[in-house]
Amino acid sequence: MKLTAEQVKQIEVLLAKDIFYKDIRLEMTDHIASYLEETLAEGDDFTTALKQYMNSHHKVKLLTAVREQEKIKDGYYRNYFLRQFVSPKGLLVIASATSTIYIGTLLGPWMYRVCVFLFTLMVIWFLTGFLGLKSQFILRLKEEVQVYYLLPVLLVSQGRRYFEEWPVLPYLEIIGFGLMFTACYFIYLTNKAYKTTKYA
Amino acid sequence: MKNSSLYKGSLTTIIMKLLEENGRMYGYEITQKVKQITAGELTITEGALYPALHKLESEGLLDVEVERVDNRLRKYYKLTESGEKETVNKMAELEEFIRNMQSILSPDVKPGLQL
């Protein structure tokens, strides 16, 4: 018995809360739909069959598979993100960002505030999808490590309060901001890699 | 998959061999094909199959094609060029393993005649 588009949609909706990655979710939807099409005879009730599947060991096995696949995908994108920092292009971006901020600090003390403002704006941008740039990479990171990814932001923003007398603090701030802006750019590139998924 | 470490170690070889023979296949189709070939003796579970497929894909041994079939998107897997070479290697490894096992289990039988 072939499933209708509405029935397929029902499966996808049920999986949505358990599966983060769209491509994995669509593949699992197809798996369940194929199973139900094979086991359901004409006239059988789809909703009851789906409910039975979702409460059976099949779903547990399916979610075990999903967690494994998510681990593979997380690792792939994490490496994709981190590898960029040690590439020649990455080092160039870090150097450019740090130099620009350094030159800015020579122009006036307002540079620090500009950097904090811009970085906060970028974090909001990635999290809320402002201008259509919602970052799947950050959303996944947030899901995995809660809010701890915001620690660097907190460290830089609170650094002045606790280490004001430290002579190297301004330089560390410049390097810190340089790295954070570079990370923003690499998050943008990693997000682009997410979007090249063949389920786009 | 059937509860045996002997089978578990050969999962990727089974997948690659099936893809070599059938061109391209989707996940559910692979589970059913294995069940059919082994007359239900061997069952590949979702928990083992999909992570293996994704791992092979991330290693560049499999390529994917997505098509809309029966109101949903379906992901087909097929061997890449390096996947085809790797299948030959894996099959050779498996055949050697079987030969060695036969030599150990039935030392009187010439292994070359058994394959």
Side-chain angles (χ1 to χ4, degrees), chain A residues 3 27 30-31 69 199, chain B residues 50 54 71-72 74-75 77:
Chain A
L3 300 187
E27 190 169 26
D30 181 45
H31 184 94
Q69 291 170 84
Y199 275 118
Chain B
Y50 289 105
H54 279 233
N71 300 314
R72 57 188 182 265
R74 177 164 286 166
K75 192 175 181 181
Y77 294 89

Side-chain angles (χ1 to χ4, degrees), chain B residues 1-5 7-8 40-45:
Chain B
M1 204 161 183
K2 192 170 179 173
N3 189 20
S4 163
S5 56
Y7 289 113
K8 278 176 188 163
E41 270 295 301
L42 184 61
T43 314
I44 300 182
T45 63

Side-chain angles (χ1 to χ4, degrees), chain A residues 51-168:
Chain A
K51 209 182 260 180
Q52 276 172 358
Y53 185 96
M54 288 298 179
N55 290 321
S56 71
H57 66 284
H58 288 296
K59 196 199 169 189
V60 179
K61 284 179 184 169
L62 205 74
L63 288 182
T64 310
V66 168
R67 298 296 161 252
E68 285 295 316
Q69 291 170 84
E70 283 178 341
K71 248 189 249 172
I72 296 169
K73 261 188 181 297
D74 288 343
Y76 174 81
Y77 288 115
R78 198 168 41 239
N79 289 341
Y80 186 94
F81 172 70
L82 292 174
R83 262 201 320 267
Q84 295 178 94
F85 281 94
V86 288
S87 67
K89 183 186 169 190
L91 295 172
L92 193 70
V93 175
I94 294 171
S96 309
T98 313
S99 317
T100 310
I101 295 166
Y102 176 68
I103 293 166
T105 53
L106 295 179
L107 296 174
W110 46 265
M111 191 59 186
Y112 175 81
R113 287 182 189 280
V114 170
C115 283
V116 171
F117 173 74
L118 281 178
F119 189 75
T120 313
L121 199 69
M122 279 185 170
V123 171
I124 295 168
W125 192 2
F126 284 137
L127 286 174
T128 58
F130 177 61
L131 293 181
L133 265 179
K134 195 170 194 166
S135 172
Q136 293 295 306
F137 179 69
I138 281 289
L139 290 178
R140 181 69 182 155
L141 201 63
K142 192 175 140 215
E143 196 173 89
E144 285 291 290
V145 296
Q146 306 299 321
V147 292
Y148 298 120
Y149 73 101
L150 283 172
L151 277 177
V153 186
L154 194 72
L155 274 175
V156 170
S157 61
Q158 298 301 308
R160 284 201 166 186
R161 186 178 292 178
Y162 298 107
F163 303 102
E164 208 171 356
E165 304 298 316
W166 222 19
V168 290

Side-chain angles (χ1 to χ4, degrees), chain A residues 2-5 8 24 26-28 30-31 33-35 37-38 53 58 61-62 65 68-69 72 198-199, chain B residues 26-28 31-32 45-48 50-51 53-55 58 63-64 66 70-75 77:
Chain A
K2 295 285 173 209
L3 300 187
T4 63
V8 172
I24 298 178
L26 290 174
E27 190 169 26
M28 296 303 113
D30 181 45
H31 184 94
S34 302
Y35 172 83
E37 278 183 347
E38 202 171 277
Y53 185 96
H58 288 296
K61 284 179 184 169
L62 205 74
E68 285 295 316
Q69 291 170 84
I72 296 169
K198 301 194 175 181
Y199 275 118
Chain B
Y26 58 96
Y28 187 76
T31 61
Q32 296 309 295
T45 63
E46 303 88 323
Y50 289 105
L53 284 170
H54 279 233
K55 192 163 180 291
S58 68
D63 199 6
V64 295
V66 180
D70 297 332
N71 300 314
R72 57 188 182 265
L73 291 172
R74 177 164 286 166
K75 192 175 181 181
Y77 294 89

Side-chain angles (χ1 to χ4, degrees), chain A residues 144-197:
Chain A
E144 285 291 290
V145 296
Q146 306 299 321
V147 292
Y148 298 120
Y149 73 101
L150 283 172
L151 277 177
V153 186
L154 194 72
L155 274 175
V156 170
S157 61
Q158 298 301 308
R160 284 201 166 186
R161 186 178 292 178
Y162 298 107
F163 303 102
E164 208 171 356
E165 304 298 316
W166 222 19
V168 290
L169 182 69
Y171 299 105
L172 286 179
E173 275 176 0
I174 290 168
I175 295 168
F177 275 123
L179 283 172
M180 286 197 289
F181 282 117
T182 307
C184 284
Y185 176 56
F186 292 159
I187 286 169
Y188 167 74
L189 292 182
T190 310
N191 204 41
K192 261 175 83 175
Y194 265 89
K195 286 181 177 173
T196 55
T197 169

